Amino acid sequence: MVVSDTAEKIKKMEIRGAGRIARAAVAALMDHAASATARDAASFRNEMREAAALLQGTRPTAVSLPNAIHRVMRSLEGDTPTVQELRDHFIVACRNFISSSEAAIERIGAIGAGHIQEGDTLLTHCNSEAALACLIAAQRKGISFEVYATEVRPGNQGLLTLKTLNEARIPTIYIVDSAVRSVMREVDRVIVGADAVTVNGAVVNKIGTSQIALAAHERKVSMMVAAETYKFAPRTILGEFIRIEERGPEEVLPAALAKKLPYVRVKNPVFDVTPPEYIDLIVTEEGAIPPQMAYIILRDYLGWSTGDFGGNSPGATENFDV
Ligand code: RUB
């Protein structure tokens, strides 16, 4: 697909969910590389940088997006004599990213299923393919359980979750977001995905996740997060915050109605931050870890350290210098 089309789809949330956004961006870069017209390596790199910047500017919160782009853009580093070689190298990197991302979901499903027990009642929020992979893998293992799925105002991503759970024949109860605390006494564990995981183990996910975590904490219900390691945010090592996306007011209040309410203003943050104290486990493709181990994932599995961020270093997630 053309890069600008993919960028538009991500912006409009026709392509959504942190993992899908990352794979779609990399697939678009791969197509772009295949059809790039540049005649020399330097112009090819420039063309790819421009495309990468366009994609990266689409949604600010999902760290999977800059991390994925950074990973494939890194393959353009070094001395490669011809455009064709550079292109081939880049396309292989893109294919590798996409297949490793898919494999990560499968592995997370297998690990997460090990934490779901016969007769459990789970609760999930938004639409996370990593969280759903755990539920589907548990179902395939023959474990019987039921799931509360939230509506997810204002985007209604809960409907996508219902569809997937129904297709997998998993008994599901649909609730409005504000019913979470009322049903929490019947819940054994909460399972959600992540758009970003910070170095101290805080999880950024769909708005409402932190309220769910609070309600779970109050009732000592286990809070599990399913997240591929490329959702861990390297720049939080420096104390940098994850930017929380705010979307337009019309997603919450129709414009025609808003016009009649001149004293009313809408605030529409679409993600929130759950502190590590309210999270029991983060299930990654490298294993299930307590949130306090997030730094170990960044340092030992992903190879980041504070020294990677100086000046023009390739460590900067928004830096396409190659
Ligand atoms: C999606 C959302 C999902 C995470 C994880 O928000 O918050 O829980 O992205 O999803 P939006 P996945 O609909 O605004 O993109 O596990 O599929 O990466």
Side-chain angles (χ1 to χ4, degrees):
M1 199 188 290
V2 181
V3 164
S4 55
D5 288 351
T6 301
E8 218 34 49
K9 286 195 161 137
I10 296 174
K11 259 190 210 159
K12 288 187 186 152
M13 289 177 62
E14 286 167 32
I15 299 172
R16 47 142 307 282
R20 287 192 179 89
I21 289 173
R23 284 197 298 278
V26 168
L29 285 176
M30 183 164 77
D31 290 352
H32 192 69
S35 60
T37 48
R39 293 188 176 191
D40 59 79
S43 337
F44 179 76
R45 286 189 178 98
N46 275 339
E47 228 179 284
M48 296 312 299
R49 266 186 219 128
E50 273 169 31
L54 185 68
L55 287 160
Q56 186 157 325
T58 51
R59 290 193 78 186
T61 302
V63 167
S64 51
L65 177 61
N67 278 354
I69 291 175
H70 174 70
R71 198 177 292 185
V72 296
M73 290 301 285
R74 217 166 39 185
S75 71
L76 298 180
E77 284 168 17
D79 301 327
T80 311
T82 69
V83 176
Q84 196 50 46
E85 277 173 287
L86 208 50
R87 190 198 318 268
D88 291 349
H89 199 52
F90 185 76
I91 289 175
V92 168
C94 292
R95 288 210 178 106
N96 286 346
F97 174 81
I98 292 170
S99 59
S100 75
S101 159
E102 287 164 350
I105 295 285
E106 218 173 299
R107 182 87 193 111
I108 287 171
I111 298 171
H115 293 270
I116 297 172
Q117 286 167 19
E118 182 67 26
D120 268 358
T121 297
L122 291 106
L123 185 144
T124 193
H125 183 55
C126 199
N127 178 255
S128 155
E129 59 174 354
L132 287 169
C134 301
L135 299 174
I136 292 167
Q139 161 88 344
R140 287 198 183 129
K141 275 172 79 177
I143 301 169
S144 323
F145 59 91
E146 62 177 5
V147 179
Y148 276 107
T150 52
E151 190 179 22
V152 197
R153 276 272 295 155
N156 289 319
Q157 287 92 332
L159 293 176
L160 302 170
T161 295
L162 292 189
K163 194 164 168 274
T164 304
L165 291 172
N166 189 63
E167 274 165 10
R169 299 170 182 230
I170 296 173
T172 302
I173 307 159
Y174 188 42
I175 54 170
V176 296
D177 301 321
S178 42
V180 163
R181 186 159 175 263
S182 297
V183 303
M184 197 52 88
R185 70 176 73 90
E186 296 157 36
V187 173
D188 299 292
R189 59 200 89 244
V190 172
I191 179 159
V192 293
D195 281 79
V197 180
T198 68
V199 66
N200 69 336
V203 167
V204 182
N205 192 49
K206 179 54 58 191
I207 191 83
T209 303
S210 67
Q211 281 180 191
I212 295 173
L214 258 180
H217 187 71
E218 180 190 37
R219 288 214 162 257
K220 299 193 169 32
V221 168
S222 159
M223 177 86 189
M224 190 156 103
V225 175
E228 303 89 315
T229 53
Y230 64 83
K231 292 176 182 166
F232 285 59
R235 293 186 71 83
T236 60
I237 293 177
L238 298 182
E240 203 170 285
F241 293 111
I242 306 283
R243 199 173 125 211
I244 301 293
E245 178 182 6
E246 293 216 10
R247 295 184 65 87
E250 64 294 339
E251 287 185 358
V252 179
L253 193 64
L257 185 52
K259 257 193 186 159
K260 296 180 188 154
L261 304 166
Y263 291 99
V264 174
R265 182 169 74 87
V266 173
K267 191 168 171 67
N268 184 20
V270 295
F271 298 102
D272 66 19
V273 184
T274 301
E277 304 85 82
Y278 299 144
I279 298 162
D280 292 285
L281 213 58
I282 303 179
V283 181
T284 77
E285 72 277 18
E286 300 291 350
I289 58 158
Q292 293 73 16
M293 263 182 72
Y295 177 60
I296 306 293
I297 291 285
L298 282 162
R299 191 191 62 189
D300 295 357
Y301 290 92
L302 305 178
W304 295 97
S305 72
T306 42
D308 287 331
F309 299 97
N312 226 4
S313 131
T317 49
E318 76 280 17
N319 184 344
F320 305 124
D321 283 349
V322 289

